[in-house]
Amino acid sequence: MTTFSFSLHSTETGPLATTSRPDVLHIPLDGMTPILGVGDQVLGGTKVALANADDEGDMHAAFAGTIRAVHSYAMVIEVQGKERVSPLEPCADTGDQLRSWLKDKGVCVRHLVKAATLILNAVPPEPGISIYDTLLRDHRKTVERGLEIVQRIVEPNAMYLAIAKGNRANAFTNCTVVHIPPVYPNGLDPLVIRAITHQEVLPGMLPDNGTILSIKDLYLIGRIMETGRSLTETVMTINTENHRVAVGTPVGFLASQIPVTVQPGDRVVIGGPLRGLTAVNLEQGVGKTASGLQILHPDEAMKTTDKFCLGCGECERHCPARIMPGLISRCAEFKQFKRAETYHIHSCMECGLCAYWCTAGRPLLQYIRLAKYELALLAGAALPPRPAAETLIKSQSGDQPC
Ligand code: SF4
Ligand code: SF4
């Protein structure tokens, strides 16, 4: 079994580095409708796609260039010439007008709602992801700028800053610091919400009259104000270093920046070690929500099997949602997706602990994600776009179906 620490203590990684400009961007279009086509010229900050959901941010190009291809799953832009930017008009509004302005500039506004309680989550989402500490330590002014904008929408009566116990962080004005036990998965939103409000919410839901944003959310909103351009970047821990990365940068290019040579059989994972998703190929571009990138050699990646469930209950013992991952995985295995709902599949926060501890090495998280996907289709959701089969990395022995 792959072993690693579950500690959420800060791993000091030095300042935030800015990744160099790639020659090409592969901007993810999942849940987006492109508004420009092949041959169109763009500037840094030009809007290229509209979000299909009301609370998702629209998509913009990070650099000037020419659109070379538009697939259902990604837009390919050849980066050309000097950096030229499409500047923003500043927004002095508050409330819903400011919320709409941020959505137009690329920000997901799902949690930007008026609420009495505002929770700022600075607990690392996974072991090894250390961006929050770096942002709080070295980019505090930008984070505070983002917080000021958020406060103009949320208008909270009470503010809490959740940090992993033992990590250093100064509170913001009128903000109470809450120390969270520094063990994975305590940084996931539902668990931070429970620790502060004593309310249990389903993943993706908000507590009564409360909302939650991460330090990264605040930083990225602050960057829009500082740079005067739409949201076209994310912040990621790449192996052990923290980087500011343009949205759409191919994972293969990022790997070359560390530098790491990706060998046949390696797995490039976007996200952290327990919840991350394997990139389908080295051209895949990172999205706005990417917080980590890891290159796992075959002996480091978690191995899975197609063995049957032993009914040992080990997965249940480690599940923070207190559900039965083994039973749910069997529902998914035998295509009884609706039955998985009777076992509270929607309470699963996709922490991956059940898969890590499974005695039989079953791919429990993948089964759960498959069942959720099938249930969403049954509920009428549109099929998410996928690259053509020939562009996928050839499956390696032991690969997890993500
Ligand atoms: S991933 Fe597994 S352990 Fe984690 S919440 Fe879901 S069912 Fe429970
Ligand atoms: S840990 Fe694995 S083998 Fe044991 S009950 Fe859970 S799914 Fe079944």
Side-chain angles (χ1 to χ4, degrees), residues 10-13 124 126 128-135 237 240 242:
S10 168
T11 45
E12 294 287 334
T13 56
E126 286 195 61
I129 306 278
S130 52
I131 48 176
Y132 295 174
D133 298 306
T134 298
L135 296 179
T237 302
T240 56
N242 290 325

Side-chain angles (χ1 to χ4, degrees), residues 308-316 325-326 329 357-360 362 364:
F308 53 83
C309 171
L310 305 170
C312 66
E314 195 63 22
C315 52
E316 289 173 36
S329 74
W357 290 105
C358 177
T359 314
R362 286 166 60 81
L364 298 183

Side-chain angles (χ1 to χ4, degrees), residues 175-241:
C175 181
T176 307
V177 173
V178 178
H179 295 278
I180 305 289
V183 181
Y184 182 76
N186 288 347
L188 301 184
D189 279 357
L191 298 179
V192 171
I193 289 171
R194 188 174 69 187
I196 291 176
T197 67
H198 309 294
Q199 294 178 42
E200 294 209 354
V201 296
L202 292 178
M205 305 299 278
L206 293 175
D208 292 341
N209 211 2
T211 190
I212 184 166
L213 288 134
S214 73
I215 293 303
K216 175 178 161 181
D217 296 329
L218 301 183
Y219 172 78
L220 292 178
I221 292 172
R223 281 284 294 171
I224 294 174
M225 300 301 151
E226 267 183 9
T227 60
R229 61 192 288 182
S230 297
L231 176 56
T232 57
E233 58 192 11
T234 184
V235 189
M236 307 172 68
T237 302
I238 304 179
N239 267 9
T240 56
E241 296 169 6

